[in-house]
Amino acid sequence: MFWDNAAPLYDLIEYVYNGKVIRKMCRTVTALTAPHDTVLECACGTGIISKL
């Protein structure tokens, strides 16, 4: 499928342009969740936040 092939490039471009925001968001989410928590990330594009 198109998006299966495009997702890695999309993530790279998104990270280059919004890397600072993504890193801050990851730190914020990490601070607000405990290791045993379950987090559902839905309708979030390629799921870059979950990968980080």
Side-chain angles (χ1 to χ4, degrees):
M1 294 298 192
F2 173 79
W3 287 113
D4 292 336
N5 295 324
L9 181 59
Y10 179 87
D11 280 346
L12 175 63
I13 292 169
E14 184 68 18
Y15 195 79
V16 168
Y17 285 109
N18 293 315
K20 185 176 179 181
V21 172
I22 291 169
R23 288 188 296 277
K24 183 175 181 182
M25 188 171 12
C26 287
R27 287 192 300 272
T28 301
V29 170
T30 299
L32 295 172
T33 56
H36 63 277
D37 287 347
T38 300
V39 178
L40 172 64
E41 180 184 43
C42 59
C44 297
T46 62
I48 192 170
I49 303 305
S50 294
K51 291 182 208 175
L52 301 175

